[in-house]
Every structure is written in C-alpha cells, then in structure tokens.
Amino acid sequence: MLRAISLLFALFAAANCDQLSVLFSPKSVEFSGNSRLDSDSLPDVFGAALGYSVSFPSEWDGMVIKDPFNTANGAVVVVAEGLDSLPVEGAKSFDLIGNTGSVALSELIQKSADHHSVSFEVDLKESSDSFTTPLGTVQPDDDEVKPQHLKPKSNKADSDFLRQIAFINGLSDLLVTSTDSIPTVHVVRVSFEAILAAHESSAPALDEAKKLFVNALKSLETAAEKAFDGSVIIGLVTASEGQLVVRSKRQATSPKQETVDDNPMNLALKYNSNYPVMFNIILWFSVVLAFSLIAISIVIGTMDPGRDSIIYRMTSTRMKKDN
C-alpha cells in the first residue's frame, strides 16, 4: 500500500515538474541524456557553460564541457511562467526537481556581475510601452503579429500576451542590429498565467499562443547566434508553480530593519571567490616574514663583536680619522 502511494506521488510529481530546454549551445558545451536536474543548480549550469567557477559541484551528468578554454560568451534564458513544459523542436529537455528554478535564475545575473559582465533581466508582464536594456530601448510592434484565434481587441489577456510576443521580436531585432558591447546574460520572463486562465486547455487560441511563442523563440535564437557568433547558450525554463513568479526585489531598508532582519538564521558570511587566494598570500607571507625576522635576530645576537666587524665599527667611541 505504501509503495503504491509513493509511486502515485512520484507519477504526479513527474507529470507536473518544470523543464529546462536547451535550444542552442556552442560546440564546446554538450548536453545529453535525460537525467533530472535540481532547479537550484540552474545558475551553476549556465555559469559553468560561460566558464564561471561553480560554488556547489553537482553530480548531474547532463552537461559536459568539452573545451574549457572556449566556453560560451553569452547566455539567453527565457522563462515561461505558468507552463510546466513546452515542446520545442530540436531542443534538449531535462526535468527540473523542485520549484525554485525561476527564482534561482536571478543568481545567474549576480554571477555575471561578479565577473564584471553586463547583464539584464526583464519581466515582460510588467513592461508597458517599452523597456530599456544595455543594448538600447525595445519598443514592440503590435501590428507585426496577426493571430487567427486570439482576440486582442476584446480580450485583455490575449492583448497582453501578444504584447509580450512583440517584445521578444523587438529584442531579436535589437540583437541583430546592435553594434555595442553585447551583455553576457539575458533573462527574459514571459507570463502565460493570464492567457491560461482566459482559455481552456484545449482551446485553439491557447495552441496558437504557444505556437507564436515558439516562433518568437526561434527568431530570438537566430538573432542570438548571429550576435554572439555562435558562442552562446540559449535555454527555456518553464515555471508552472505560482510561487515561482514571486521574486524578492532589491530595495533600500532602514538601519533598524537591517539590525533585526539582516541575518535571522545566523548564517556565515558569503566571501568572495578571491578570498582564499588573498588569505593564503597574507598568511604565508606573514609566516616567512616572522621566521626571517627570528633568523636575523639570532644571527645578529650571536655575531662576534671583533674589531673588524660591523658591530665594532658602529659602536666604537674612538673613531679613527685619516689626517
């Protein structure tokens, strides 16, 4: 009985788990197999593909770095909030364990910032008329997408979703035409929640929405490949759970709040990756300096103060002068 219940829970979890789909990766990074990935390890997966050091090594065998000297120069990650999976032709998909993958991707932006790279994260659901990136301003062309089943004039959910698709197409155009320094990491969030609530799961409008999204992904993939000269990893992360879209915002807090809520669990400080290097340099330099000082003191203390020694010449009260 217990085994049957466990099997039932396992099947339910497998049917509702999120996915990571790798649409494109450089030749130096290979994705294979179908092993499941812990969602908290998503920043380490993309970070390792970019050549960053991994803080917490994982036993996941879905990615192999063939050439560590020619890793990807950029990463484009699209998060589809509200979907548990989305089949994309030619993509390599992996099931995600846990429900924190969407939140964990924000750490990828921090990893890129720690390596002095320019990156950006944008939530298209919260964008109105345009949004600004390090490449420039993206302004959507609402007339570019002409749906058959979606009704943007009479349904606000359809209108908002088509606006997000237009934003993705605008970002693709900006990637192709930009001549400035291309950011290392792009995280783009697209919301399916409103359109899923407005249409039934078998409605033609919902199928059309998914097809439009996949087509926009293909255009973004082509633009990113051209912008990064093929040295880019492009991924799609589906986030079905509602709590995934709740992300902590960076904001200034008063000193009183910091003293109360700064470290409620008494966790250790997170040091920079250069801390071990600097610690060893200072430690061993101090040890060598201390032993050198002891050795010099012993040598000077046991030196014979003869007439021809430097001690005699520096301490003698009778200085000889040549007349």
Side-chain angles (χ1 to χ4, degrees), residues 15-37:
N16 293 275
C17 61
D18 300 328
Q19 280 189 345
L20 164 65
S21 299
V22 180
L23 281 64
F24 180 84
S25 62
K27 296 181 180 179
S28 59
V29 182
E30 180 182 0
F31 289 87
S32 60
N34 54 2
S35 57
R36 305 178 72 182
L37 171 67

Side-chain angles (χ1 to χ4, degrees), residues 111 116 124 209 213-214 216 222 224 227 271 274 278 310 314 320-321:
K111 277 181 174 289
H116 306 288
L124 299 183
F213 177 65
V214 171
T222 303
Y271 293 98
N274 295 327
M278 299 302 299
I310 187 173
M314 296 297 293
K320 296 182 178 179
K321 297 182 180 180

Side-chain angles (χ1 to χ4, degrees), residues 56 262-272 275:
F56 304 99
D262 187 25
N263 193 5
M265 300 183 66
N266 195 23
L267 299 177
L269 296 176
K270 184 177 180 181
Y271 293 98
N272 188 275
Y275 177 81

Side-chain angles (χ1 to χ4, degrees), residues 24-292:
F24 180 84
S25 62
K27 296 181 180 179
S28 59
V29 182
E30 180 182 0
F31 289 87
S32 60
N34 54 2
S35 57
R36 305 178 72 182
L37 171 67
D38 189 350
S39 58
D40 290 334
S41 300
L42 279 175
D44 289 332
V45 171
F46 287 100
L50 290 169
Y52 300 162
S53 59
V54 178
S55 303
F56 304 99
S58 173
E59 297 181 356
W60 186 60
D61 58 353
M63 181 181 68
V64 178
I65 306 294
K66 290 186 173 181
D67 187 357
F69 301 102
N70 292 300
T71 53
N73 293 329
V76 179
V77 186
V78 180
V79 182
E81 297 174 345
L83 296 179
D84 56 357
S85 63
L86 182 65
V88 180
E89 184 180 358
K92 186 63 180 177
S93 299
F94 304 92
D95 292 336
L96 296 177
I97 304 173
N99 55 1
T100 58
S102 180
V103 179
L105 281 174
S106 298
E107 299 179 9
L108 183 61
I109 300 294
Q110 184 61 42
K111 277 181 174 289
S112 177
D114 292 341
H115 288 78
H116 306 288
S117 300
V118 180
S119 305
F120 72 89
E121 179 180 7
V122 60
D123 192 342
L124 299 183
K125 180 179 63 176
E126 300 177 356
S127 301
S128 55
D129 296 331
S130 63
F131 67 88
T132 304
T133 70
L135 296 175
T137 302
V138 178
Q139 295 181 344
D141 185 3
D142 296 332
D143 298 331
E144 182 179 0
V145 181
K146 298 180 179 179
Q148 296 180 355
H149 302 285
L150 295 173
K151 306 299 181 182
K153 294 183 179 180
S154 59
N155 192 327
K156 187 177 185 302
D158 295 354
S159 176
D160 292 342
F161 180 79
L162 292 177
R163 171 60 64 90
Q164 295 182 78
I165 298 299
F167 271 127
I168 297 177
N169 294 332
L171 180 60
S172 300
D173 297 337
L174 190 62
L175 276 173
V176 173
T177 59
S178 176
T179 58
D180 298 332
S181 177
I182 301 177
T184 303
V185 178
H186 309 64
V187 177
V188 181
R189 299 181 182 273
V190 181
S191 176
F192 276 81
E193 294 177 331
I195 199 169
L196 286 172
H199 301 281
E200 297 181 357
S201 58
S202 59
L206 189 57
D207 292 337
E208 184 181 33
K210 293 180 179 179
K211 290 180 181 178
L212 290 175
F213 177 65
V214 171
N215 293 336
L217 281 179
K218 290 294 184 181
S219 300
L220 184 62
E221 177 186 350
T222 303
E225 288 182 43
K226 182 177 180 181
F228 286 95
D229 294 330
S231 183
V232 62
I233 177 172
I234 305 172
L236 168 66
V237 177
T238 57
S240 59
E241 295 293 334
Q243 59 183 325
L244 288 180
V245 300
V246 180
R247 296 178 298 277
S248 59
K249 296 182 179 180
R250 298 179 182 177
Q251 56 184 2
T253 56
S254 62
K256 183 177 180 181
Q257 291 178 340
E258 290 181 359
T259 57
V260 175
D261 300 327
D262 187 25
N263 193 5
M265 300 183 66
N266 195 23
L267 299 177
L269 296 176
K270 184 177 180 181
Y271 293 98
N272 188 275
S273 58
N274 295 327
Y275 177 81
V277 178
M278 299 302 299
F279 178 82
N280 279 275
I281 291 176
I282 296 175
L283 172 64
W284 296 113
F285 181 80
S286 301
V287 170
V288 172
L289 186 62
F291 277 103
S292 300

